[in-house]
């Protein structure tokens, strides 16, 4: 038990002040590649130093010292960068989509026939996935990733321009959420597995002991969850008290808005009019569910965001 307490103390010292609580980019659009392509192009056009850094860190090539022409969806290419007399770069961006037949080959032909340039081709995915053989054919394609290349580019860039600085911070947070690479959790893993003191074994044992554990089986934890959700709903609404249902669930009803929160055998979710599911279900036996982790840690602000999102969805119905 002493080792576990020691590990908990170490994790507790890892700073979280870098977390962004309100992010205007934090929407469902973050899962769409067009959003990311648009933002990358805007950053390339916003600041020459940022564009130079992009060439160095992401493209791994020298700055061409020439005026860039950066386009979106020209020839259906996600990002097309043109410079000099006959130089060009194609960046195909894939987040939740697969390649079309001969897609990269078609883009290559477009730049040759319509632009007179022989392009370098980059394939951008969350973790550096290869394009399909049918898409690239015999072409040389460089794989780059949001996880390593785009995040490194943005996190290493320093600027005194406060508007640009905040925009970059917002986008970094959006990327991390999109690719499930929370910085705080990454820092925890670095501290546990690469620190001077080896806490790897106790961390692994702790995770294995809890992995698959249904936290709703523990009455005190279930009560804690109920209290947290009730507080967050009550901040802006007037719910009834938690009550038992006929099928042995727990129900928190907001009669004015026809919204009900349910705690079942292993999950927590919300419905409107007893039929329409709202927001994300919280899986109480899956430590990969960030909302479960927020409940366990008592992160009221994060649970408030979960509740507020449910009400926004209900208004849209």
């Amino acid at each position: 038990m002493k080792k576990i307490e020691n590990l908990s103390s170490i994790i507790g010292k890892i700073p979280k002040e870098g977390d962004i609580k309100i992010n205007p980019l934090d929407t469902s659009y973050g899962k769409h590649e067009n959003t990311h392509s648009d933002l990358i192009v805007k950053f390339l056009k916003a600041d020459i130093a940022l564009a130079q850094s992009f060439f160095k860190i992401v493209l791994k090539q020298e700055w061409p010292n020439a005026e860039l022409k950066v386009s979106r969806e020209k020839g259906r290419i996600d990002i097309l960068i043109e410079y000099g007399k006959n130089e060009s770069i194609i960046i195909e961006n894939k987040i939740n989509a697969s390649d079309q037949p001969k897609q990269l080959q078609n883009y290559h032909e477009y730049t040759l026939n319509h632009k007179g340039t022989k392009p370098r081709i980059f394939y951008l995915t969350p973790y550096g996935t290869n394009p399909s053989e049918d898409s690239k054919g015999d072409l040389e394609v460089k794989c780059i990733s949001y996880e390593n290349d785009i995040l490194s580019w943005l996190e290493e860039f320093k600027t005194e321009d406060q508007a640009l600085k905040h925009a970059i911070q917002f986008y970094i947070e959006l990327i991390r959420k999109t690719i499930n690479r929370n910085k705080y959790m990454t820092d925890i893993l670095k501290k546990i597995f690469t620190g001077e003191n080896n806490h790897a074994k106790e961390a692994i044992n702790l995770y294995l002991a809890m992995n698959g554990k249904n936290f709703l089986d523990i009455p005190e934890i279930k009560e804690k969850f109920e209290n947290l959700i009730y507080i967050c709903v009550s901040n802006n609404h007037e719910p009834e008290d938690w009550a038992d249902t006929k099928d042995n669930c727990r129900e928190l009803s907001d009669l004015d808005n026809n919204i009900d929160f349910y705690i079942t055998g292993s999950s927590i979710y919300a419905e409107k009019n007893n039929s329409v599911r709202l927001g994300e279900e919280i899986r109480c036996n899956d430590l990969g569910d960030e909302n479960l982790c927020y409940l366990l840690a008592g992160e009221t602000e994060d649970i408030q965001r979960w509740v507020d999102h449910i009400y926004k969805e209900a208004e849209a119905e």
Side-chain angles (χ1 to χ4, degrees), residues 36 40 43 50 54 57-60 79 91 93 124-126 144-157 168 171-172 175 179:
H36 292 270
I40 290 171
F43 283 126
L50 191 54
F54 183 83
I57 295 176
V58 178
L59 303 182
K60 307 292 192 300
I79 301 173
I91 300 178
N93 188 10
L124 173 60
T125 60
I144 55 179
S145 71
Y146 283 93
E147 181 180 31
N148 294 319
D149 301 293
I150 300 299
L151 282 177
S152 295
W153 166 49
L154 296 171
E155 290 178 338
E156 292 181 22
F157 183 74
I168 289 173
Y171 186 39
I172 287 172
I175 291 173
I179 68 173

Side-chain angles (χ1 to χ4, degrees), residues 130-161:
N130 291 314
S132 68
E133 291 297 321
D134 177 71
S135 175
K136 76 182 188 72
D138 296 328
L139 296 174
E140 180 179 347
V141 178
K142 174 70 173 177
C143 294
I144 55 179
S145 71
Y146 283 93
E147 181 180 31
N148 294 319
D149 301 293
I150 300 299
L151 282 177
S152 295
W153 166 49
L154 296 171
E155 290 178 338
E156 292 181 22
F157 183 74
K158 307 300 179 185
T159 179
E160 297 299 321
D161 185 328

Side-chain angles (χ1 to χ4, degrees), residues 144-296:
I144 55 179
S145 71
Y146 283 93
E147 181 180 31
N148 294 319
D149 301 293
I150 300 299
L151 282 177
S152 295
W153 166 49
L154 296 171
E155 290 178 338
E156 292 181 22
F157 183 74
K158 307 300 179 185
T159 179
E160 297 299 321
D161 185 328
Q162 292 302 305
L164 180 60
K165 181 179 180 179
H166 291 314
I168 289 173
Q169 289 176 333
F170 289 143
Y171 186 39
I172 287 172
E173 195 75 6
L174 176 66
I175 291 173
R176 288 193 171 279
K177 183 171 183 179
T178 301
I179 68 173
N180 193 26
R181 289 296 185 267
N182 179 278
K183 186 177 187 303
Y184 178 57
M185 294 306 298
T186 299
D187 289 343
I188 287 176
L189 293 176
K190 288 179 181 178
K191 191 72 174 179
I192 290 173
F193 295 107
T194 64
E196 293 181 2
N197 299 315
N198 185 7
H199 298 280
K201 186 174 181 179
E202 60 190 282
I204 291 170
N205 289 338
L206 179 62
Y207 175 79
L208 291 175
M210 292 194 300
N211 192 28
K213 173 66 180 176
N214 181 6
F215 290 94
L216 292 176
D217 289 341
I218 303 173
E220 292 83 359
I221 293 179
K222 186 176 182 180
E223 182 180 358
K224 175 182 177 179
F225 289 179
E226 289 184 2
N227 290 336
L228 281 170
I229 294 171
Y230 182 86
I231 289 170
C232 292
V233 174
S234 299
N235 282 336
N236 299 300
H237 308 281
E238 298 181 0
E240 303 287 316
D241 291 330
W242 283 99
D244 294 324
T245 66
K246 293 180 180 179
D247 49 359
N248 297 319
C249 296
R250 295 283 285 168
E251 180 182 35
L252 177 68
S253 297
D254 178 354
L255 301 179
D256 291 337
N257 293 284
N258 294 320
I259 295 176
D260 298 300
F261 293 83
Y262 293 99
I263 296 181
T264 65
S266 61
S267 66
I268 302 172
Y269 63 90
E271 285 186 352
K272 182 176 182 179
N273 297 323
N274 296 318
S275 59
V276 180
R277 282 288 183 101
L278 301 170
E280 296 180 354
E281 177 184 28
I282 300 177
R283 303 178 303 278
C284 294
N285 57 357
D286 181 4
L287 284 170
D289 189 319
E290 64 178 2
N291 289 319
L292 170 61
C293 295
Y294 293 148
L295 280 171
L296 288 167

Side-chain angles (χ1 to χ4, degrees), residues 56-90:
K56 178 182 178 181
I57 295 176
V58 178
L59 303 182
K60 307 292 192 300
Q61 72 178 65
E62 295 295 325
W63 175 247
N65 197 26
E67 183 178 356
L68 299 184
K69 183 179 180 182
V70 187
S71 306
R72 280 278 292 118
E73 293 296 335
K74 183 169 286 188
R76 302 190 69 180
I77 297 171
D78 286 332
I79 301 173
L80 177 63
I81 303 174
E82 300 170 276
Y83 56 93
K85 292 184 178 180
N86 60 354
E87 299 290 333
S88 66
I89 291 169
I90 289 173

